[in-house]
């Protein structure tokens, strides 16, 4: 019995130190699981996607600041955009018997097994920012975040309006987010649906830029080489749009004028480019989910019922609106 217990403890200690060694885990106190601490403080294990964008950095800060303000003991891990790292982190939180697990799933599929393990361990799970495609919705308590299909639709609607009354062909290139992620899937489908209203609009190339500036630049360079006439760039986030702007300028074209640009997020750097006329329109996606997440965590730990879907309130920005919003923009 003692042997089995020691093996189990050793197993979880190894898992935690593996995560720490690869820079994945920033545990505030990995030796004292929430339920066993007896100090009345809630312990949350949060498995973050990574640090791929300005949006993500702001989201991480919001979660860390809100945890401190709410008196929640936060164990935080960065999965570096890899699903296997997120699964490892969640298993380590289960082994540590945290009170609640929250995560933003890097991709939509493949979560049922680990979510079932959390459910069997009676640890409630909250999805933030991104959804999973599990049929079994009892595997998590709630999903807090944006409607990415609506975001894609807003981007497409803006474009259709911008070209209203014009019948010449409009060649669009698309920089997709991380392959298989909810925002990439949904922003793509929402946009495609909206531009059906304008038969002259055509997506001539669409590829992932992994939500990063470097990849956005690299893929845009390839788009520019392969396509002599690009009228519009639709980027699934600001960071990829900013990388693409560098590629467009290096090719001797004027972003925002020679090639119209629409993106999603509205982080400070994106809004600065919008105010400068290098981006034409931004659909907002708010990363400030921390305070709502901590409130939900307190409720689910108490066993209270919460709404299964909590939508983030968001807007859109024109260059003029970006200029007005920039002085107070927090991220
Ligand atoms: O899931 C939200 C998306 O992830 C943001 O729009 C993007 O910038 C981030 O990397």
């Amino acid at each position: 019995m003692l042997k089995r217990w020691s093996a189990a403890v050793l197993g979880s200690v190894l898992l935690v130190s593996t995560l720490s060694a690869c820079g994945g885990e920033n545990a505030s106190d990995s030796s004292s699981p929430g339920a066993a601490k007896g100090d009345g403080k809630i312990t949350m294990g949060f498995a973050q996607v990574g640090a791929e964008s300005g949006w993500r950095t702001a989201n991480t800060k919001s979660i860390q600041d809100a945890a401190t303000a709410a008196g929640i003991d936060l164990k935080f891990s960065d999965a570096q955009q890899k699903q296997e790292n997120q699964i490892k982190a969640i298993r380590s939180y289960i082994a540590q018997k945290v009170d609640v697990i929250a995560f933003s799933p890097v991709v939509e599929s493949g979560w049922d097994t680990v979510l079932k393990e959390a459910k069997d361990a009676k640890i409630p799970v909250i999805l933030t920012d991104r959804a999973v495609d599990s049929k079994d919705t009892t595997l998590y308590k709630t999903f807090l975040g944006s409607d990415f299909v609506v975001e894609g639709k807003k981007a497409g609607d803006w474009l259709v309006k911008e070209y209203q009354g014009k019948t010449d062909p409009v060649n669009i290139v698309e920089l997709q987010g991380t392959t298989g992620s909810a925002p990439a899937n949904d922003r793509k489908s929402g946009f495609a649906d909206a531009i059906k209203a304008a038969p002259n609009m055509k997506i001539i190339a669409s590829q992932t830029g992994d939500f990063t500036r470097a990849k956005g630049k690299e893929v845009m360079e390839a788009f520019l080489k392969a396509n002599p006439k690009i009228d519009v760039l639709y980027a699934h986030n600001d960071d990829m749009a900013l990388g693409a702007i560098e590629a467009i300028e290096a090719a001797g074209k004027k972003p925002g004028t020679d090639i119209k640009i629409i993106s999603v997020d509205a982080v400070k750097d994106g809004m600065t480019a919008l105010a400068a006329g290098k981006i034409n329109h931004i659909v907002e996606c708010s990363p400030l989910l921390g305070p709502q997440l901590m409130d939900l965590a307190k409720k689910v730990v108490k066993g209270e019922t919460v709404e299964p879907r909590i939508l983030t309130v968001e807007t859109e920005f024109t260059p003029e609106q970006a200029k007005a919003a920039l002085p107070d923009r927090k991220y």
Side-chain angles (χ1 to χ4, degrees), residues 107-161:
V107 290
E108 280 189 285
S109 307
W111 297 102
D112 287 37
T113 306
V114 73
L115 287 178
K116 181 131 198 333
E117 289 166 25
K119 191 179 175 189
D120 291 345
K122 300 196 169 28
I123 300 175
V125 172
I126 300 175
L127 302 178
T128 74
D129 162 38
R130 299 184 182 180
V132 298
D133 64 5
S134 295
K135 298 254 175 321
D136 183 358
T137 54
T138 68
L139 294 177
Y140 53 91
K141 296 289 175 196
T142 182
F143 166 37
L144 162 69
S146 312
D147 185 328
F148 299 131
V149 178
V150 168
E151 290 173 351
K153 191 173 170 338
K154 283 180 183 169
D157 286 344
W158 176 82
L159 193 62
V160 170
K161 220 167 153 209

Side-chain angles (χ1 to χ4, degrees), residues 243-259:
I245 286 172
E246 289 177 33
I248 294 168
E249 286 176 335
K253 294 189 191 240
K254 222 173 154 200
T257 307
D258 297 331
I259 299 179

Side-chain angles (χ1 to χ4, degrees), residues 28-29 32 34 37 39 41-45 67 71-75:
S28 48
D29 178 11
S32 50
K37 280 191 312 186
D39 61 1
K41 244 187 163 187
I42 292 173
T43 300
M44 171 188 283
I72 289 181
D73 188 5
L74 182 70
K75 292 174 185 293

Side-chain angles (χ1 to χ4, degrees), residues 52-53 55-56 129-130 148 183 187 211 236-237 265 285:
E52 74 282 4
S53 62
W55 189 100
R56 189 64 55 196
D129 162 38
R130 299 184 182 180
F148 299 131
R187 286 175 189 164
F211 280 131
H236 288 192
N237 80 343
D265 275 356
C285 177

Side-chain angles (χ1 to χ4, degrees), residues 134-206:
S134 295
K135 298 254 175 321
D136 183 358
T137 54
T138 68
L139 294 177
Y140 53 91
K141 296 289 175 196
T142 182
F143 166 37
L144 162 69
S146 312
D147 185 328
F148 299 131
V149 178
V150 168
E151 290 173 351
K153 191 173 170 338
K154 283 180 183 169
D157 286 344
W158 176 82
L159 193 62
V160 170
K161 220 167 153 209
E162 182 73 5
Y163 281 90
Q164 213 164 28
K166 300 197 174 123
T167 50
D168 287 349
V170 177
N171 287 349
I172 304 166
V173 294
E174 179 180 33
L175 280 170
Q176 296 178 38
T178 305
T179 305
S181 69
N185 294 342
D186 295 353
R187 286 175 189 164
K188 181 167 183 47
S189 68
F191 181 81
D193 269 358
I195 63 166
K196 277 186 195 150
N200 56 328
M201 294 197 175
K202 192 170 166 214
I203 299 177
I204 56 165
S206 180

